[in-house]
Amino acid sequence: MKPSTKSALLRSLCGVLLCLAAPAWAQVGEVTGVVSEAKDARPLAGVKVHATSPALPSPRTVTTDERGQYRLASLPVGLYTLRFERESFQPVTREGVRVEAGRTLGVAVALQALPVSHHPFASLTPFAPPLRLESDGVAWMAVPREGDIRDRAPPWALPQVSLLAAEGSGERRYVPGSKFLRDSDLRGHGVNPTIDTEEENASTYPLRVSTASYALTRGHLERDSLPAEEAVRVEDFVNSFSPKEGGENAGPFIVDVEGFPSPSRKGYHVVRVTLRTRAAFSDVGVQLEFDKRAVARYRLVGYENPSATPPEPLGDDVTPDPVPLAAGASVTAIYEVKLIAPAIAFGVLRILYEEGEDTMWRRAHKLLPSSALRSSMARASADTRLAYVAAAFAEKLRGSPWTRSLDWARLHALWQDLGEPLVSRPDVANLGALIKKAGTLDTRKERPGADGASLDPDLLPSSGR
């Protein structure tokens, strides 16, 4: 074939391809704009812009840059709903946004700041009117009970009972303790109760954690024996697996919050709260305050409070149990929360800290947005799912009644669902092996009357006596 003939053929082929592609190009458009603050027209960075439409196979999300600008490119032609969200601001929704072929549509939005109290340890000020967030398909639970949904709430401190007893032995009962774990410390610290937010909506937990209990458990299982229930500390298990860096700024800290419906406790969400420091601090204390309008009950998983009295809210005259934190250190806590109504945020994390030689307490806070609660475990990040599996493993080992509906086979399946590449990571692979080993070694039997399927998930099961 002559070169001229070959060139002509290539030109013809390119022309045909361009003609075929032209209709596809013509069937998309884009939406751009600037998001600003309503009060002073200041551009807002970090605003999440969600686009949904029957024309999209899945929602599209972009984030505004430092100039408040966003761009949703290559959108199929159709009608769209745009939702603009940023922490501490009232979300805005634009419906009926028409994307036309080959055109760029400008949509500018101004967000109104939410009325947040300037007193960082005052009670939660009213957020915007109750609003269901659809951006993540949060599955709010409807409570099918007559009368007040709090009628059957447990008292502040419930009987701290182990659901499981060693085969051939008498009943074992937890005795609340007071000190942090040492290698030889086997005194039981009890199992945290579920708290009604009408009685106490503020939860504190110490930031002083280690991995000692997890290492001790690993040694026992590798020697084909279960650890003593009293030696298992959930917080040690959870904090043995460092999450990836991520989250949002709260002063000199980074807070990462995410949740999903609990696989073991019907009607509750598992919530992971990770606090990471960006600098070294001489003292840090935290408190999580739940919005009573959004959360009916909650339970801190692990971090058993050595006291039998509720924690005091952190006010001007009350300080937390402070601990020093090195730069880059992170501490994770797991909660179980029962939602009763949709809200912009379901709580706030308050942080008190001292820096260097400064003896004056400084304060920061971070709203916990309801959009961080995923509609299923599969939609949560790998870090959150891993933290739950580690916590549930510890709860199973210590015979916690709150995991009565989660057997060893299902727990191992949840570990497998973490997927690659996570399950091949050496420390995570070892966790899976330990779960499987514990399941084969566990000869404890559930007491009579401990059938999880027939029990109210808000209450502890009967001890069988």
Side-chain angles (χ1 to χ4, degrees):
M1 183 180 294
K2 295 181 179 180
S4 58
T5 304
K6 183 181 294 185
S7 299
L9 181 59
L10 289 175
R11 285 196 298 271
S12 300
L13 180 60
C14 289
V16 170
L17 292 175
L18 288 173
C19 291
L20 292 174
W25 291 345
Q27 297 306 309
V28 298
E30 66 177 21
V31 178
T32 64
V34 175
V35 182
S36 59
E37 185 172 356
K39 182 178 180 181
D40 55 12
R42 175 175 57 90
L44 286 176
V47 178
K48 293 183 178 180
V49 185
H50 308 280
T52 58
S53 170
L56 278 178
S58 61
R60 185 90 58 85
T61 301
V62 297
T63 304
T64 58
D65 59 21
E66 65 277 0
R67 294 174 295 178
Q69 297 179 350
Y70 71 93
R71 179 170 178 258
L72 291 160
S74 301
L75 295 176
V77 170
L79 289 177
Y80 284 76
T81 296
L82 303 182
R83 185 170 179 81
F84 301 81
E85 297 177 347
R86 181 180 149 169
E87 180 196 347
S88 302
F89 287 84
Q90 171 70 51
V92 170
T93 300
R94 293 283 186 266
E95 298 181 348
V97 177
R98 185 178 296 278
V99 173
E100 298 181 355
R103 300 190 60 179
T104 297
L105 178 66
V107 178
V109 169
L111 299 186
Q112 184 75 41
L114 290 172
V116 179
S117 170
H118 294 292
H119 190 313
F121 293 107
S123 296
L124 283 171
T125 54
F127 297 117
L131 176 67
R132 178 175 180 133
L133 296 178
E134 301 289 355
S135 60
D136 191 60
V138 174
W140 297 101
M141 193 193 104
V143 183
R145 294 182 182 173
E146 296 181 359
D148 189 346
I149 61 172
R150 303 179 188 276
D151 284 346
R152 297 169 67 184
W156 197 91
L158 295 175
Q160 310 216 4
V161 180
S162 168
L163 178 62
L164 302 174
E167 185 173 12
S169 67
E171 182 179 38
R172 303 180 66 180
R173 182 178 293 274
Y174 283 122
V175 178
S178 60
K179 294 184 178 179
F180 292 97
L181 175 69
R182 299 293 183 266
D183 289 342
S184 59
D185 182 6
L186 298 182
R187 287 170 293 182
H189 288 217
V191 176
N192 279 336
T194 298
I195 309 300
D196 190 307
T197 55
E198 288 293 344
E199 298 182 20
E200 179 57 63
N201 70 324
S203 172
T204 62
Y205 56 91
L207 298 176
R208 189 185 293 107
V209 297
S210 72
T211 60
S213 176
Y214 184 66
L216 183 66
T217 297
R218 185 169 59 242
H220 275 281
L221 292 174
E222 288 173 350
R223 295 190 298 271
D224 295 333
S225 66
L226 290 178
E229 292 179 4
E230 297 85 352
V232 177
R233 304 287 183 266
V234 175
E235 61 273 19
D236 285 19
F237 280 53
V238 171
N239 285 281
S240 292
F241 303 91
S242 299
K244 294 180 181 178
E245 295 189 9
E248 298 185 3
N249 293 338
F253 300 91
I254 298 174
V255 177
D256 191 14
V257 179
E258 190 176 40
F260 56 86
S262 172
S264 62
R265 198 171 180 194
K266 185 178 180 180
Y268 282 75
H269 277 64
V270 174
V271 176
R272 172 180 66 89
V273 180
T274 298
L275 176 71
R276 189 186 305 275
T277 67
R278 294 191 294 174
F281 299 100
S282 54
D283 292 302
V284 182
V286 298
Q287 180 185 79
L288 198 160
E289 182 181 350
F290 293 100
D291 185 349
K292 298 178 184 179
R293 298 167 302 171
V295 176
R297 305 181 183 97
Y298 67 90
R299 182 175 82 98
L300 175 62
V301 182
Y303 297 95
E304 270 64 33
N305 194 328
S307 171
T309 58
E312 294 185 80
L314 298 183
D316 291 330
D317 57 345
V318 177
T319 58
D321 176 22
V323 298
L325 287 180
S330 67
V331 178
T332 295
I334 300 292
Y335 281 87
E336 292 176 336
V337 300
K338 186 168 189 175
L339 305 171
I340 54 173
I344 298 298
F346 63 92
V348 62
L349 185 71
R350 306 188 188 282
I351 311 167
L352 263 67
Y353 62 98
E354 289 181 340
E355 191 172 9
E357 300 296 327
D358 188 358
T359 59
M360 179 180 296
W361 283 105
R362 301 184 181 186
R363 310 179 183 202
H365 69 275
K366 169 73 172 63
L367 290 175
L368 308 181
S370 297
S371 58
L373 302 178
R374 313 306 177 199
S375 56
S376 66
M377 185 174 180
R379 297 191 67 179
S381 68
D383 285 332
T384 300
R385 290 182 282 124
L386 174 59
Y388 170 75
V389 170
F393 180 34
E395 290 264 89
K396 288 291 293 180
L397 286 170
R398 66 178 181 170
S400 170
W402 306 109
T403 55
R404 56 185 177 263
S405 64
L406 185 67
D407 60 26
W408 287 108
R410 188 174 175 218
L411 178 58
H412 190 264
L414 291 177
W415 171 84
Q416 290 178 313
D417 289 343
L418 296 174
E420 295 290 354
L422 194 57
V423 294
S424 294
R425 203 175 79 186
D427 58 336
V428 180
N430 184 247
L431 172 64
L434 293 177
I435 292 173
K436 196 167 185 177
K437 174 66 75 67
T440 63
L441 295 173
D442 191 359
T443 58
R444 298 171 297 178
K445 292 184 177 180
E446 292 188 349
R447 297 187 183 89
D451 178 12
S454 62
L455 290 169
D456 185 339
D458 288 335
L459 302 176
L460 272 173
S462 167
S463 63
R465 296 186 299 175

